[in-house]
Amino acid sequence: MLVPALLVLFFCLRGRAGLSPHFLQQPEDLVVVLGDEARLPCALGAYWGLVQWTKDGLALGGERDLPGWSRYWISGNAASGQHDLHIRPVELEDQASYECQATQAGLRSRRAQLHVLVPPEPPQVLGGPSVSLVAGVPANVTCRSRGDARPTPELLWFRDGVRLDGATFRQTLLKEGATGSVESILSLTPSSHDDGAILVCRARSQALPTGKDTAITLSLQYPPVVTLSAEPQTVQEGEKVTFLCQATAQPPVTGYRWAKGGSPVLGARGPMLEVVAEASFLTAPVSCEVSNAVGSANRSTALDVRFGPILQAKPKPLSVDVGEDASFSCVWRGNPLPRVTWTRRGDAQVLASGPTLRLLAVGPEDAGDYVCRAEPGLSSLGGGAAEARLTVNAPPVVTALHSAPAFLRGPARLQCLVFASPAPEAVVWSWDEGFLTAGSRGRFLVETFPAPEGRGGQGPGLISVLHISGTQESDFSRGFNCTARNRLGEGGTQVSLGRRDLLPTVRIVAGVAAVAMTLLMVITGVALCCWRHGKVSLASASFSKQKNLVRIPGSSNGSSSRGPEEETGSSKDQGPIAHTDHSDLALDEEGALETKDPTNGYYKVRGVSVSLSLGEAPGGGLFLPPSSPFGPPGTPTFYDFKPHLGIVPPCRLYRAQAGYLTTPHPRAFTSYIKPTSFGPPDLAPSTPPFPYAAFPTPSHPRLQTHV
């Protein structure tokens, strides 16, 4: 009695002090699995009176042990205001709404709902634990869960820990609205590889997140699974080939059937077939069919025959707009497959490998011919290349061509070259006061001609010509615009007209004439010099003691026109005879030694002025050169006096024909002749510069002279 009185007194004193009872903690909604413990908290402040709990509005009592509710009790320190409700174990009937009340203070907590979850039972798979199926035949496997599980469980399928999709979920309800059963149907088409596979059906819910499993084993019946091989796979015609047909089946295999190109091979039984390879095996593969009680399966194979690349589909020309993608394709067939590469004509760089070439966002520079090339395989046969042209449609490209300068008030011609794909709609010439597309206008005329084809894929070309008749001053100071346009845009260039003045032309002609006159004067001076030196001749030559007769063959009074080749007649037809003295040579009054024309003007020989002293050969004869070592016997002798005279004739003139000097005397003198071949004379080391005595007297009386 003392304690309650003290509590009432304390409560009254606190109430007088301004503190009123209040909830420090109120119960919340709670979810509990069937069979677990539930705890609903409640704490009060400034209150030491009676506290009780209600269930769906029904008071459970004020005692801490709650008599009449064997699974219920209140815990906590009452002096500190703690009044928690405990339920253990929780049953389905405990699912209700609970409230904590301070009756003496008139306080009620919020209502807390207690939800009771019921875990699902292990599911049941119909036909388990071993389900028999036929490979290749669609089938349904059903998993079912019964019981009053809360909430409704979810049924899942697993194989080797991996969840399977394709299951259908179905739920059955009782008349009272409660869940009757749920089931999941798994649809599958098994194969022979599924034989012995383990499938798991799992029932899980919020009450049992890990779920409960039921496993089954698949027992498959399947038709034969056939593997066909050939040994050897690569053969030559006439070689033996062995085909091996292997099969696995459930139930076992009952028979084999062989065929070639769809036609049965007579007499073939069992899993092995031996044949002799021939050309027909290239197009007629060998097949093996194996059967059992469930069904049959067929496999075929062809022999590996190697052949070189063969083109099956050529690449096609393309025409695309600038900025678009271009794609070429070509197909080559071969065994082994040929290596296909793409290049650009004239360039060895490989752009792509394979049957397709793709060019992204092409530009005008990509236009051209592309080559699809197949390299021979191991057979080293076949191979080749195929080309296709890429035309890039772009605005026209206009280039100014060279135009010749024009005279004032004379005709002029301006040209521009246009390449465009698609072809230009028009080519326009424009200038300050007008423009012209075709035809004529005043002094202007426009013509258009096809141009030689440009770089591959650049499009057709044309040359536009602007003719100007009677040029004016303004034509040379302004520019003429050549513009072309097509559906993709336009391009143009400016062409200027160059001017040609008359005065520079006259100056050029006068300069050329002056140079020509100067050259003519130089040539004339050189000719006169040569003529003057050639006029010098032997002024007098006399020989003492006797005279010699010198005959000019083929001449008649110094005017005969016969050549040396006509000197084959008798001595009666040999021309006139000239008398000469065997005296020493005498100088003319001017001191020069003059050589006279020995042909008396027949060949118009120009002599060479020399100064020399002639010695006598042994026996008193005049020096004669030795026989030529470079010709056959009878070849006229010659000798070059230039090395001994120490002078160079100022002018040498030769003719293509040669005359002959005939003398009956063994002493004679001939003028300088041009040798037909060169070589040093055969002289002894001690021979003096003029070794007249060293040469024998020639036995023949004729000397050939080149003049």
Side-chain angles (χ1 to χ4, degrees):
M1 293 295 295
L2 182 59
V3 173
L6 292 175
L7 291 175
V8 172
L9 179 60
F10 181 75
F11 176 75
C12 293
L13 292 175
R14 293 194 63 180
R16 292 173 184 174
L19 294 176
S20 60
H22 59 279
F23 281 102
L24 298 176
Q25 185 177 10
Q26 299 188 48
E28 302 286 346
D29 292 345
L30 183 63
V31 177
V32 182
V33 177
L34 181 68
D36 292 346
E37 179 181 344
R39 175 180 172 275
L40 298 173
C42 179
L44 292 167
Y47 179 75
W48 294 270
L50 181 64
V51 176
Q52 68 174 2
W53 284 85
T54 63
K55 175 183 178 182
D56 288 338
L58 176 64
L60 299 179
E63 291 80 0
R64 308 289 287 183
D65 56 353
L66 297 178
W69 303 89
S70 60
R71 296 179 293 107
Y72 290 60
W73 73 92
I74 297 176
S75 67
N77 189 352
S80 62
Q82 193 71 33
H83 307 277
D84 297 339
L85 175 64
H86 291 262
I87 305 173
R88 187 180 61 186
V90 174
E91 296 181 358
L92 288 177
E93 61 184 25
D94 298 329
Q95 183 168 299
S97 176
Y98 294 86
E99 186 180 273
C100 178
Q101 299 178 354
T103 56
Q104 295 175 345
L107 295 177
R108 291 184 177 184
S109 70
R110 70 171 65 93
R111 291 187 177 184
Q113 186 69 35
L114 178 62
H115 299 278
V116 180
L117 303 181
V118 179
E121 297 292 334
Q124 179 185 5
V125 179
L126 302 183
S130 179
V131 178
S132 180
L133 302 176
V134 177
V137 178
N140 295 329
V141 182
T142 302
C143 177
R144 184 174 297 169
S145 176
R146 296 181 179 274
D148 191 13
R150 296 183 184 182
T152 301
E154 180 183 16
L155 299 179
L156 305 175
W157 289 94
F158 294 87
R159 178 176 177 176
D160 298 332
V162 180
R163 182 175 173 178
L164 301 178
D165 297 327
T168 303
F169 183 79
R170 186 171 60 183
Q171 180 176 342
T172 303
L173 301 178
L174 300 178
K175 294 181 180 180
E176 295 81 6
T179 301
S181 65
V182 292
E183 62 182 23
S184 176
I185 301 174
L186 177 65
S187 299
L188 71 162
T189 302
S191 67
S192 59
H193 301 289
D194 297 326
D195 187 32
I198 297 177
L199 302 183
V200 175
C201 178
R202 177 176 299 168
R204 73 179 185 183
S205 68
Q206 186 179 359
L208 187 62
T210 58
K212 291 185 178 181
D213 297 342
T214 298
I216 62 170
T217 301
L218 298 182
S219 177
L220 268 296
Q221 292 185 354
Y222 51 90
V225 179
V226 181
T227 302
L228 180 61
S229 61
E231 184 62 34
Q233 188 67 34
T234 302
V235 295
Q236 297 287 340
E237 186 175 7
E239 293 182 349
K240 287 187 178 181
V241 181
T242 300
F243 292 91
L244 182 61
C245 185
Q246 297 175 321
T248 58
Q250 182 64 35
V253 174
T254 57
Y256 295 86
R257 189 172 73 92
W258 292 89
K260 175 190 172 185
S263 301
V265 178
L266 301 179
R269 296 289 185 271
M272 185 179 296
L273 174 66
E274 289 187 357
V275 296
V276 176
E278 57 184 25
S280 60
F281 282 92
L282 296 173
T283 56
V286 174
S287 62
C288 174
E289 182 178 359
V290 185
S291 304
N292 71 349
V294 177
S296 62
N298 187 296
R299 289 291 182 271
S300 62
T301 185
L303 296 180
D304 184 12
V305 180
R306 299 183 180 274
F307 55 92
I310 299 176
L311 181 62
Q312 287 188 311
K314 293 183 177 180
K316 297 181 179 179
L318 293 178
S319 178
V320 298
D321 292 346
V322 63
E324 295 182 351
D325 297 344
S327 180
F328 292 99
S329 63
C330 68
V331 180
W332 294 84
R333 181 172 60 92
N335 186 21
L337 291 175
R339 180 175 180 266
V340 180
T341 58
W342 291 87
T343 59
R344 192 168 181 173
R345 188 170 69 176
D347 190 354
Q349 181 182 2
V350 176
L351 303 177
S353 298
T356 303
L357 171 63
R358 185 175 179 83
L359 303 175
L360 303 179
V362 299
E365 68 277 2
D366 297 317
D369 296 324
Y370 290 85
V371 182
C372 171
R373 179 173 287 102
E375 300 178 0
L378 298 179
S379 60
S380 300
L381 299 176
E387 292 186 3
R389 172 162 294 184
L390 173 62
T391 301
V392 179
N393 300 323
V397 177
V398 183
T399 306
L401 298 180
H402 173 72
S403 300
F407 292 107
L408 180 63
R409 289 181 290 278
R413 173 189 176 99
L414 302 178
Q415 304 177 95
C416 68
L417 176 64
V418 181
F419 284 106
S421 177
E425 301 168 0
V427 179
V428 181
W429 285 91
S430 60
W431 54 94
D432 294 342
E433 67 270 12
F435 65 91
L436 187 60
T437 302
S440 61
R441 177 182 177 182
R443 299 182 296 113
F444 302 95
L445 170 66
V446 171
E447 292 181 312
T448 302
F449 307 95
E453 185 175 357
R455 183 169 59 88
Q458 197 173 16
L462 55 87
I463 298 176
S464 182
V465 183
L466 175 65
H467 297 274
I468 305 175
S469 61
T471 58
Q472 301 176 359
E473 287 286 350
S474 60
D475 296 336
F476 300 102
S477 59
R478 64 186 172 191
F480 293 85
N481 296 318
C482 177
T483 306
R485 66 174 179 270
N486 59 12
R487 64 178 178 83
L488 297 175
E490 67 177 27
T493 187
Q494 189 177 69
V495 186
S496 299
L497 179 61
R499 181 168 181 171
R500 179 188 297 175
D501 294 331
L502 182 60
L503 182 58
T505 304
V506 174
R507 291 178 178 175
I508 293 174
V509 173
V512 173
V515 172
M517 290 296 295
T518 302
L519 292 176
L520 182 59
M521 293 176 64
V522 171
I523 294 173
T524 303
V526 173
L528 290 175
C529 176
C530 292
W531 176 80
R532 181 178 179 182
H533 285 282
K535 187 177 180 182
V536 178
S537 60
L538 184 62
S540 64
S542 61
F543 295 89
S544 61
K545 299 180 182 180
Q546 62 177 350
K547 295 181 180 181
N548 289 330
L549 296 179
V550 179
R551 183 182 302 275
I552 305 302
S555 64
S556 177
N557 297 328
S559 62
S560 176
S561 61
R562 291 181 301 172
E565 66 275 6
E566 294 177 291
E567 192 203 358
T568 57
S570 62
S571 60
K572 296 179 181 181
D573 299 330
Q574 292 177 352
I577 299 174
H579 296 270
T580 60
D581 294 332
H582 292 268
S583 61
D584 295 333
L585 295 176
L587 296 177
D588 61 4
E589 57 273 11
E590 296 178 357
L593 182 64
E594 181 179 359
T595 57
K596 294 183 178 181
D597 185 357
T599 63
N600 294 327
Y602 178 78
Y603 289 105
K604 299 181 181 180
V605 177
R606 292 178 180 178
V608 179
S609 298
V610 297
S611 297
L612 53 86
S613 297
L614 298 178
E616 291 185 351
L622 187 65
F623 157 72
L624 292 177
S627 299
S628 173
F630 302 102
T635 303
T637 59
F638 65 91
Y639 184 72
D640 188 0
F641 290 95
K642 178 180 64 176
H644 304 288
L645 299 178
I647 61 174
V648 179
C651 183
R652 296 178 180 177
L653 299 177
Y654 302 102
R655 291 185 182 273
Q657 294 179 344
Y660 290 89
L661 297 177
T662 305
T663 174
H665 197 279
R667 297 176 62 185
F669 171 76
T670 181
S671 65
Y672 171 77
I673 62 174
K674 179 179 181 297
T676 57
S677 60
F678 296 89
D682 188 9
L683 300 177
S686 60
T687 304
F690 295 93
Y692 305 124
F695 296 95
T697 302
S699 60
H700 55 80
R702 303 171 66 98
L703 297 176
Q704 183 179 4
T705 304
H706 288 254
V707 293

